[in-house]
Amino acid sequence: PGTIDRGNTVFQSLPWLAAFLLGGALRQASFSSRGVRLLWGAILVHGLIVAAVGVYFHITSRYLVLGVFRDPYGYHFSSFIYRNHWAAYVMILVTLAIGFSFSSLRRWSTAHGRLDAVLPGLCVALLLALTLPIPGSRSGVFVVALLLAGAFARMGWILWRARSKRLASPALRLGVLGLIIFLGVTAGIGASFNRDEIRKHWGRTVSQFQGLVNGQDDLRVKFARDTVAMAADRPVWGWGVGSFKLIFPMYQGDYLGVIQGKRHVVHHAHNDWAEMWAEIGVLGLLVMLTPVAIRLRDIACTRSVLSRWGGGAVLLILAYALVDFPFHNPAVLFLWVTILCTAAPVLRLRAG
């Protein structure tokens, strides 16, 4: 009812409607546990292919998107125009890959699997993580580094507790040592390959942190504050899907200055929660979040290691949406919906 531009709202609603249809189709398909594992494995393979394409074009034509379109900002990676969208995509993939490793680790700890089955998931997670410094996604590097550090610490603790029972064999101990060395060498090579980008973006991060210490508001904080003010004027119904770019200039401060006589246009709030509240209101948020909450409840009630990591990927992107706009990228949105709607069957039909 509060939509200011119905034509624009209908057009901008199409990706969201497609996501709802995708979710409904996946729920009707009722994948088996094996089917979900195959689906998630295929998603990881596809992610590796996209990453390989990005690395290739970064080496051969650094400032061209897929070697064709020039990117004046240098924010792209592979087919992703914005680096933090690639980061959100990688966050989901890395979480799934770690989930496969922990699922294999559980099987090994219960004498139903091999320890070397842990290796593929860890290798995939590490290889994907090493692509993040290339476009310079600082938030992506930080989040995935914490994720990997926590996963390695947890895995090390599980192996340490099992040392007297399952790691008595010298061959197994040598295998674990080899795994640690391999991961360390791979991480070192990746860091060396990205050392120039890491140095540049580390300097930006230090400068930004010094500004916060000196009392300067971060630009994302200003965006979020003005977006909340926009939402507060129509809190129930919102301004309409896709209306942010049209209405935000009335609430935007002067922090971006004027370019060629015109105020800089802000396309997104870099906070999906605030932007969605401004566009669809409280009622729209309730309609969208109710099925998400139901699916997360189903995931929380299962004992499957793999599906819990899938649920973790869902929660991670919900948290990341507080500092960026991952749900406005169709690839991230559809992948997120796919994981959300297929995680629970893994839990119900097969533990692990």
Side-chain angles (χ1 to χ4, degrees), residues 10-317:
V10 170
F11 177 75
Q12 297 293 337
S13 297
L14 293 179
W16 299 97
L17 293 174
F20 271 103
L21 290 173
L22 173 63
L26 290 170
R27 294 301 298 152
Q28 291 298 317
S30 297
F31 285 89
S32 66
S33 174
R34 182 177 179 82
V36 173
R37 284 178 174 275
L38 289 173
L39 174 64
W40 289 12
I43 288 172
L44 288 175
V45 171
H46 173 265
L48 284 175
I49 294 173
V50 175
V53 169
V55 172
Y56 170 78
F57 282 111
H58 176 74
I59 295 173
T60 59
S61 50
R62 183 171 182 175
Y63 299 102
L64 298 178
V65 181
L66 298 179
V68 178
F69 305 103
R70 178 162 295 278
D71 178 8
Y73 304 105
Y75 291 168
H76 73 281
F77 181 82
S78 192
S79 56
F80 288 76
I81 304 300
Y82 180 46
R83 56 194 174 194
N84 283 351
H85 287 158
W86 170 246
Y89 200 79
V90 168
M91 288 178 197
I92 298 176
L93 296 179
V94 167
T95 308
L96 294 184
I98 293 173
F100 273 104
S101 291
F102 273 91
S103 179
S104 299
L105 187 61
R106 169 182 273 191
R107 290 193 178 91
W108 170 80
S109 65
T110 56
H112 291 97
R114 295 166 54 93
L115 183 59
D116 55 8
V118 173
L119 183 60
L122 292 180
C123 290
V124 170
L126 192 58
L127 289 173
L128 289 169
L130 291 174
T131 65
L132 292 176
I134 294 176
S137 175
R138 295 175 294 162
S139 58
V141 170
F142 178 75
V143 172
V144 171
L146 286 181
L147 187 62
L148 288 173
F152 289 151
R154 175 62 179 167
M155 193 168 290
W157 172 247
I158 293 173
L159 292 173
W160 176 261
R161 290 180 60 186
R163 68 191 185 282
S164 60
K165 297 180 292 184
R166 303 285 293 155
L167 291 177
S169 167
L172 279 177
R173 291 181 178 178
L174 184 62
V176 172
L177 179 61
L179 172 62
I180 295 172
I181 294 174
F182 171 79
L183 294 175
V185 170
T186 304
I189 293 174
S192 176
F193 177 76
N194 291 310
R195 62 183 182 275
D196 293 336
E197 295 295 330
I198 292 174
R199 188 181 298 113
K200 179 178 68 175
H201 294 295
W202 173 255
R204 286 183 57 211
T205 302
V206 171
S207 175
Q208 206 168 11
F209 181 75
Q210 290 175 344
L212 291 174
V213 171
N214 295 330
Q216 300 176 6
D217 286 340
D218 184 74
L219 192 59
R220 278 175 166 79
V221 175
K222 296 176 181 178
F223 285 163
R225 182 181 59 224
D226 292 346
T227 304
V228 169
M230 172 181 164
D233 281 348
R234 290 194 179 183
V236 179
W237 297 106
W239 294 87
V241 177
S243 63
F244 177 84
K245 185 174 70 173
L246 303 176
I247 301 300
F248 186 73
M250 296 191 302
Y251 296 88
Q252 179 184 339
D254 295 328
Y255 36 78
L256 289 178
V258 176
I259 300 176
Q260 294 181 350
K262 296 181 179 180
R263 178 175 290 185
H264 186 84
V265 177
V266 178
H267 294 267
H268 295 287
H270 289 268
N271 182 325
D272 267 344
W273 290 97
E275 184 171 340
M276 285 191 289
W277 179 28
E279 290 191 344
I280 63 178
V282 173
L283 291 180
L285 283 174
L286 288 175
V287 170
M288 294 187 67
L289 293 179
T290 297
V292 174
I294 293 172
R295 299 300 303 140
L296 288 174
R297 182 202 60 188
D298 293 342
I299 295 173
C301 292
T302 182
R303 298 175 60 187
S304 167
V305 173
L306 180 58
S307 284
R308 285 187 175 179
W309 278 93
V314 170
L315 290 173
L316 184 61
I317 299 304

